[in-house]
Amino acid sequence: MLRLARPNRSAVVLSALGRQYRSHVCVMTVSSPGNTKSKRKMVQIGTHDGTFHCDEALGCFMLQKTERFGDAEVVRSRDQDLLKDLDIVIDVGGVYDPKTERYDHHQRGFTEVFGHGFVTKLSSAGLVYKHFGKELVAAATGHPADSSIVETTWLAVYKYFMEAVDGIDNGVNQYESNKPARYVNNTNLSSRVANLNPPWNGDESEQASNAHFQKAMQLTGQEFMDALQYYSKSWLPARALVQQAIEGRHGVDPSGSIIKLPVAGCPWKEHLAQLEEEQRLGDSIKFCLYEVSS
């Protein structure tokens, strides 16, 4: 099956606990670290399969830190017949209804925000944090969930960490012209490295400092190697395929306005924009043909 797209200038099978699951369903049994309570009836968290994003990964992580979902199994699928029987579902299903534990944000008409002066539309992570965050903050602080300390901390964590996840996932610009930033982004690599430094009121010994520096090395080193792997093994081959498609476009259509990618799943929009600019092609390419699974 071929899909025709305009260049926008703007079956996984895994085994868990010895069981096989059908194609397009990924089941992961991941217990929350530090949760040593005896297992109850297996509770299941649902989210979509395929390409994953920060919001549902973080949302699942947060849920596994709660009392109810501490030892839950994560089921990744878009099969509605499967998802409807799960205990909680996030980032898929087209429904936001806390009463039935459904927390999607992709449906038309969804406008939920965190409140308390925040206006950024929520992602699935923001929805989970809005409804379960106080429990997590209470566990971390040792204060009752309805205390002012938990309330203040809950709001601060949203402002300085969570809102950026929501904004980025929903495509919200951080800045609007010369107005102040709509949300604070302290989740980039530089900020995370800065946060690894010993706290001002903590152990300032050389030994402690070196230990924190080792963590910073591991963090930055891993992300660098991941980036190096991505750009050398994925990004560069994709660019080469788009270049080949540009060179062969007149064989697809005499007008030269259509390119055709030889394989499915190749990211092409960024490469096409860059190559058009480099080769001064203007906007002569109007369409891109590529395969999609039926």
Side-chain angles (χ1 to χ4, degrees):
M1 176 179 175
L2 286 175
R3 175 171 291 172
L4 180 64
R6 293 180 181 272
N8 185 353
R9 269 75 175 174
S10 60
V12 179
V13 179
L14 292 187
S15 175
L17 301 180
R19 296 168 290 174
Q20 289 292 331
Y21 293 86
R22 59 181 174 172
S23 180
H24 304 297
V25 178
C26 172
V27 181
M28 304 178 296
T29 303
V30 184
S31 296
S32 176
N35 193 326
T36 59
K37 294 180 295 182
S38 60
K39 283 192 176 182
R40 300 154 292 189
K41 176 182 177 295
M42 181 61 73
V43 178
Q44 293 180 310
I45 301 168
T47 190
H48 63 80
D49 59 359
T51 301
F52 55 83
H53 308 94
C54 179
D55 65 322
E56 76 267 18
L58 179 56
C60 289
F61 175 86
M62 288 189 291
L63 286 173
Q64 287 190 327
K65 289 292 186 181
T66 66
E67 177 73 18
R68 181 180 175 191
F69 301 105
D71 282 315
E73 191 175 52
V74 176
V75 179
R76 300 181 66 223
S77 175
R78 294 185 185 273
D79 184 342
Q80 293 300 319
D81 289 335
L82 184 151
L83 292 171
K84 68 181 177 61
D85 294 325
L86 302 185
D87 299 277
I88 187 168
V89 176
I90 69 170
D91 210 44
V92 68
V95 175
Y96 168 52
D97 183 5
K99 293 181 180 178
T100 59
E101 304 285 30
R102 291 318 186 247
Y103 299 95
D104 196 11
H105 67 110
H106 298 99
Q107 59 274 21
R108 182 176 297 178
F110 177 86
T111 58
E112 188 75 8
V113 297
F114 197 71
H116 304 277
F118 297 102
V119 297
T120 300
K121 188 168 72 171
L122 298 178
S123 68
S124 61
L127 287 171
V128 170
Y129 186 75
K130 180 173 183 174
H131 291 278
F132 297 90
K134 285 187 178 180
E135 178 184 344
L136 306 183
V137 173
T141 61
H143 290 273
D146 59 354
S147 68
S148 61
I149 291 177
V150 167
E151 175 82 6
T152 301
T153 306
W154 178 63
L155 293 173
V157 170
Y158 183 78
K159 178 178 181 179
Y160 293 109
F161 181 79
M162 290 298 309
E163 191 178 17
V165 176
D166 290 337
I168 291 170
D169 191 79
N170 284 303
V172 177
N173 290 328
Q174 187 178 6
Y175 294 92
E176 291 184 357
S177 64
N178 61 345
K179 296 180 181 179
R182 292 188 61 179
Y183 54 87
V184 176
N185 183 4
N186 282 333
T187 60
N188 58 68
L189 182 58
S190 295
S191 294
R192 284 181 281 133
V193 169
N195 290 336
L196 288 176
N197 284 281
W200 68 271
N201 56 348
D203 187 351
E204 296 182 347
S205 68
E206 182 178 353
Q207 181 179 3
S209 178
N210 287 340
H212 284 270
F213 182 69
Q214 286 291 332
K215 292 180 181 179
M217 289 179 61
Q218 293 169 7
L219 173 63
T220 55
Q222 184 61 60
E223 295 206 11
F224 170 77
M225 293 305 298
D226 287 346
L228 186 61
Q229 180 76 7
Y230 169 75
Y231 283 103
S232 62
K233 303 298 184 183
S234 180
W235 185 89
L236 196 59
R239 179 183 170 91
L241 288 177
V242 175
Q243 176 60 43
Q244 292 173 17
I246 291 174
E247 293 172 356
R249 68 189 185 279
H250 291 285
V252 178
D253 185 86
S255 68
S257 63
I258 303 174
I259 63 172
K260 180 180 179 181
L261 297 175
V263 297
C266 174
W268 57 273
K269 294 180 182 179
E270 175 189 358
H271 295 300
L272 177 60
Q274 291 178 349
L275 290 168
E276 283 180 322
E277 182 178 357
E278 292 173 11
Q279 298 172 26
R280 300 181 181 179
L281 298 177
D283 60 355
S284 61
I285 298 174
K286 306 297 185 183
F287 302 95
C288 175
L289 281 171
Y290 57 93
E291 294 183 357
V292 294
S293 57
S294 58

